[in-house]
């Protein structure tokens, strides 16, 4: 039984200079894409009631709500307990869009703000201003949305710690419930990869921004519940928590990943190939016992609460403390045990070194 779904909408009006996500600026494929998406959902979805549906991108808000709603209506939902999220770009919010949005079951909004600073927004190729982002949030509030998440990036070209502090200060004074923070990563495929900005800060400097943000947000009512995510009580993202608990999920649309508890797959990342055959997988792998154990450890340590020792012991028939004695000892200043002794978690310093620390838990 799969109760969580991710749907990828791979269209953006323009490409931001830091972004390597799968998205295309050619909207002539939209109709064909939605036909294939519909076929894929009809083929695989077994009518289970969904607890979460996440419509991400790309820029889902650049597509008509009618089209998005036709997809949402293909699913059954747990009416009292469902989280339906859409990613929205600030420049897509207007009165018409809002009134159409209100007629859907969408109850969680994720807005890509990145920064409120206009100079930075321009440099990174965003098509909105800081003022437009604030205005979009206020309009969503007026329309009754409470569950609003903002995405920010730190380490952007020309960004100073002062700029970033200002972004966070502005954010917490808005009527929002969730913040996701990402350190800038320049991956193959984005504009900045070939045209590296001169004035980027180092990873060590990024950690100064991260530390500041963690303390500031925690002080201001946003609990850090995951390495990059902060929320007010009651607003932790159910969709993402399912990922971090190694839950199963459908992934529909080009480049989407899915997991049924045993097999992990990724759909075709090439738009044309996906449109031609939405059933063909680009990759498909059966996870071994070791894969699943390593994943449970990595994802568990991403969360602030950490790895649940009892759960992992019974799920994998291990003695966690015995099996990983060496690693827990070696990284004891970064991995701590909670008061009740039933969770091991990474400290903030541990979060910053998580890639290095967690690779030591890999058995292969
Ligand atoms: C998949 S993107 C889609 C969101 C939406 N299209 C938007 O741009 O507003 C989700 C988030 O990932 C983050 N992101 C994308 N590329 C990034 C990069 N290279 N480094 C750090 N964060 C990145 C941004 O904060 C972005 O809002
Ligand atoms: S950051 Fe968002 S809007 Fe910009 S190109 Fe990537 S997916 Fe599109």
């Amino acid at each position: 039984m799969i109760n969580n779904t991710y749907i990828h909408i791979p269209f953006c009006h323009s490409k931001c200079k830091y972004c390597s996500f799968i998205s295309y600026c050619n909207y002539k494929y939209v109709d064909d894409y939605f036909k294939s998406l519909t076929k894929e959902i009809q083929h695989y979805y077994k009518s289970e009631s969904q607890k979460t549906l996440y419509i991400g991108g790309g820029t889902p808000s650049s597509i008509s709500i009618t089209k998005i709603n036709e997809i949402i209506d293909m699913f059954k939902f747990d009416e009292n307990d469902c989280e339906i999220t859409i990613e929205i770009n600030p420049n897509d919010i207007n009165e018409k869009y809002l009134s159409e949005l209100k007629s859907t079951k969408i109850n969680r909004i994720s807005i890509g703000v990145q920064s409120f600073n206009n100079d930075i927004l321009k440099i990174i190729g965003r098509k909105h201003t800081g003022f437009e982002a604030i205005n979009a949030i206020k309009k969503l509030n007026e329309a009754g949305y409470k569950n609003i998440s903002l995405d920010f990036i730190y380490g952007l070209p020309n960004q100073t710690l002062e700029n970033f502090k200002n972004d966070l200060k502005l954010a917490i004074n808005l009527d929002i419930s969730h913040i996701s923070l990402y350190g800038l990563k320049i991956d193959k495929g984005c504009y900045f990869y070939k045209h590296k900005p001169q004035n980027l800060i180092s990873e060590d400097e990024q950690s100064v921004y991260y530390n500041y943000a963690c303390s500031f947000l925690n002080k201001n009512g946003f609990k850090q519940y995951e390495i990059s995510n902060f929320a007010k009580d009651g607003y932790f993202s159910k969709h993402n928590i399912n990922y971090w608990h190694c839950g199963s999920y459908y992934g529909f649309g080009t480049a989407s990943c899915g997991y049924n508890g045993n097999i992990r797959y990724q759909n075709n990342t090439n738009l044309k190939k996906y449109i031609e055959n939405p059933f063909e997988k680009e990759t498909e792998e059966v996870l071994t016992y070791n894969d699943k154990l390593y994943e449970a450890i990595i994802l568990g340590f991403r969360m602030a609460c950490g790895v649940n020792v009892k759960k992992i012991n019974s799920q994998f028939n291990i003695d966690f403390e015995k099996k990983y004695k060496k690693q827990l000892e070696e990284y004891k200043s970064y991995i701590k045990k909670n008061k009740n002794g039933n969770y091991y978690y990474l400290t903030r310093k541990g979060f910053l070194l998580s890639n290095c620390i967690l690779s030591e838990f890999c058995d292969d």
Side-chain angles (χ1 to χ4, degrees):
M1 183 116 107
I2 300 182
N3 304 107
N4 304 275
T5 296
Y6 175 81
I7 296 178
H8 194 65
I9 307 296
F11 300 100
C12 294
H13 282 303
S14 61
K15 196 81 194 166
C16 306
K17 292 184 178 170
Y18 55 84
C19 181
S20 324
F21 282 85
I22 304 280
S23 74
Y24 302 83
C25 299
N26 196 339
Y27 280 69
K28 77 174 183 197
Y29 297 113
V30 169
D31 285 346
D32 287 341
Y33 183 72
F34 274 78
K35 275 183 202 148
S36 294
L37 184 59
T38 304
K39 277 193 214 155
E40 191 200 353
I41 297 169
Q42 277 166 348
H43 184 79
Y44 290 110
Y45 171 53
K46 294 198 179 72
S47 300
E48 308 99 316
S49 177
Q50 295 299 288
K51 282 190 188 301
T52 74
L53 174 68
Y54 193 103
I55 306 166
T59 311
S61 57
S62 67
I63 302 293
S64 80
I65 284 286
T66 313
K67 272 200 155 32
I68 297 285
N69 213 18
E70 278 168 10
I71 297 296
I72 296 176
D73 281 344
M74 294 180 74
F75 293 90
K76 284 190 188 143
F77 292 101
D78 189 335
E79 293 293 340
N80 302 315
D81 181 27
C82 67
E83 177 189 276
I84 307 178
T85 306
I86 187 167
E87 284 179 353
I88 283 185
N89 274 27
N91 37 318
D92 289 324
I93 296 276
N94 55 42
E95 296 302 331
K96 182 172 172 282
Y97 187 84
L98 267 179
S99 76
E100 288 173 358
L101 187 68
K102 281 299 282 178
S103 70
T104 70
K105 292 181 180 143
I106 291 165
N107 55 16
R108 183 171 185 271
I109 311 289
S110 169
I111 308 182
V113 173
Q114 321 312 351
S115 167
F116 287 118
N117 182 293
N118 290 339
D119 294 334
I120 296 172
L121 289 170
K122 214 167 177 182
I123 292 169
I124 62 175
R126 297 290 290 183
K127 299 296 171 208
H128 56 86
T129 61
F131 177 77
E132 279 166 336
I134 291 174
N135 224 10
I137 295 157
K138 288 191 172 156
K139 285 211 168 99
L140 284 159
N141 292 148
E142 282 163 23
Y145 289 98
K146 280 255 161 256
N147 200 347
I148 299 178
S149 176
L150 308 185
D151 286 349
F152 288 97
I153 304 180
Y154 56 93
L156 290 167
N158 276 31
Q159 189 180 41
T160 62
L161 187 57
E162 283 315 304
N163 293 146
F164 182 59
K165 285 182 179 177
N166 196 43
D167 282 347
L168 295 179
K169 205 165 144 198
L170 280 169
I172 59 142
N173 284 311
L174 292 163
D175 193 2
I176 56 148
S177 49
H178 190 283
I179 291 177
S180 299
L181 280 186
Y182 305 106
L184 178 69
K185 269 185 74 199
I186 297 190
D187 291 331
K188 216 172 172 183
C190 73
Y191 177 89
F192 282 156
Y193 189 78
K194 282 194 177 155
H195 309 86
K196 216 166 201 154
Q198 294 299 309
N199 48 357
L200 288 180
I201 58 171
S202 67
E203 260 185 38
D204 276 354
E205 282 170 286
Q206 275 200 7
S207 68
V208 175
Y209 287 53
Y210 180 74
N211 274 325
Y212 174 82
C214 294
S215 306
F216 179 80
L217 292 175
N218 280 319
K219 254 187 242 151
N220 285 284
F222 287 81
K223 274 195 190 139
Q224 180 168 22
Y225 68 103
E226 195 260 352
I227 204 163
S228 311
N229 287 286
F230 305 78
K232 290 183 179 162
D233 282 336
Y235 290 97
F236 297 180
S237 159
K238 292 177 186 163
H239 185 78
N240 288 339
I241 285 176
N242 177 60
Y243 286 142
W244 302 320
H245 281 157
C246 304
S248 51
Y249 51 92
Y250 288 113
F252 294 122
T254 183
S256 283
C257 293
Y259 178 55
N260 68 6
N262 211 16
I263 297 170
R264 154 95 30 74
Y265 62 84
Q266 184 175 30
N267 285 349
N268 252 321
T269 48
N270 178 292
L271 182 65
K272 282 189 189 161
K273 278 194 186 165
Y274 173 81
I275 288 173
E276 273 165 27
N277 182 359
F279 313 120
E280 189 180 73
K281 306 295 171 204
E282 188 159 305
T283 58
E284 201 162 17
E285 66 169 324
V286 179
L287 299 197
T288 63
Y289 167 92
N290 273 353
D291 292 337
K292 287 184 191 175
L293 173 58
Y294 184 45
E295 198 157 293
I297 292 172
I298 291 196
L299 295 177
F301 274 125
R302 283 194 68 101
M303 289 186 293
C305 61
V307 172
N308 182 329
V309 179
K310 239 187 183 173
K311 194 173 155 203
I312 205 160
N313 283 351
S314 79
Q315 201 177 343
F316 292 95
N317 201 19
I318 56 167
D319 181 335
F320 180 80
E321 291 177 325
K322 211 166 160 190
K323 185 169 169 62
Y324 298 106
K325 193 167 184 272
K326 188 174 137 263
Q327 293 87 333
L328 294 173
E329 181 58 30
E330 190 174 340
Y331 293 106
K332 65 178 180 216
S333 45
Y334 303 109
I335 301 176
K336 300 283 178 199
K337 204 174 184 174
N338 77 343
K339 273 188 208 136
N340 302 331
N342 47 1
Y343 279 88
Y344 275 96
Y345 66 93
L346 284 176
T347 61
R348 193 181 300 159
K349 262 196 173 159
F351 273 156
L352 287 164
L353 298 171
S354 60
N355 287 345
C356 161
I357 296 172
L358 297 179
S359 64
E360 296 292 321
F361 284 78
C362 183
D363 266 349
D364 296 333

